[in-house]
Amino acid sequence: MTTLVRRLERLRRRARAVLVIERTAVLLAFALAVLGSWILLDALARFPLVIRLAALFVGAGSLTLLVLRWWWPAVRFNPPLTELALRLERHHPELAGDLASSIDFQQRSTSGALESRTISRTESAAGRARFESALRRDRLLRAVVGLF
């Protein structure tokens, strides 16, 4: 495994972590806002037990649905390295056309002289590129700040 593959795998792990933290913060902020609103509304209106139980079941069901449909895919986020390389090529034009090809060549069992030259040229060009700059952390920051 070359340094290029290791860097892309590390980027994939960081992207998954950013996505999971972001979605967790949004989910917690949403759940706390709904719960706080319900507590305030219940304090003002003093709902009967039947309505409180119905709201509890609706809230628990909605939270379960949100976790399964929205949060769990973030935990399972695992794009192929070639797809990740294609996305990185958009952020780093100097690697366009070479990064995904090099990753694809490295994942094959056989490689010729042309593939080896492409891989070494891409590794030297990618040594200067900061892959982590392609991660969007603005939504993460907004989600975490929104939690507080």
Side-chain angles (χ1 to χ4, degrees):
M1 185 181 325
T2 63
T3 58
L4 199 56
V5 173
R6 279 195 299 264
R7 285 180 67 191
L8 283 176
E9 286 177 347
R10 185 174 47 229
L11 180 67
R12 181 171 52 187
R13 283 191 306 270
R14 286 184 181 174
R16 182 183 314 119
V18 165
L19 190 60
V20 168
I21 292 169
E22 171 193 322
R23 297 235 172 142
T24 302
V26 169
L27 193 64
L28 282 174
F30 179 73
L32 289 174
V34 169
L35 184 64
S37 300
W38 177 255
I39 289 172
L40 182 65
L41 192 60
D42 185 45
L44 294 173
R46 305 304 283 165
F47 292 119
L49 181 62
V50 174
I51 293 177
R52 288 179 181 174
L53 287 176
L56 176 68
F57 287 123
V58 167
S62 299
L63 186 61
T64 302
L65 187 66
L66 270 174
V67 165
L68 292 176
R69 296 279 179 146
W70 191 66
W71 184 80
W72 188 246
V75 172
R76 292 188 340 217
F77 178 74
N78 194 24
L81 292 180
T82 308
E83 182 181 326
L84 197 59
L86 286 170
R87 290 179 184 229
L88 277 173
E89 285 179 356
R90 283 185 263 160
H91 289 280
H92 299 283
E94 69 274 8
L95 299 174
D98 290 336
L99 185 60
S101 299
S102 295
I103 295 298
D104 198 33
F105 291 153
Q106 289 178 9
Q107 290 176 339
R108 292 186 196 164
S109 59
T110 60
S111 66
L114 183 60
E115 287 94 351
S116 298
R117 273 186 276 161
T118 303
I119 291 168
S120 63
R121 187 180 68 228
T122 305
E123 282 183 343
S124 66
R128 296 179 299 272
R130 286 193 49 230
F131 289 168
E132 286 77 19
S133 66
L135 286 178
R136 290 191 57 198
R137 292 188 177 100
D138 57 334
R139 291 183 296 183
L140 172 66
L141 183 63
R142 214 177 10 217
V144 171
V145 168
L147 186 58
F148 298 107

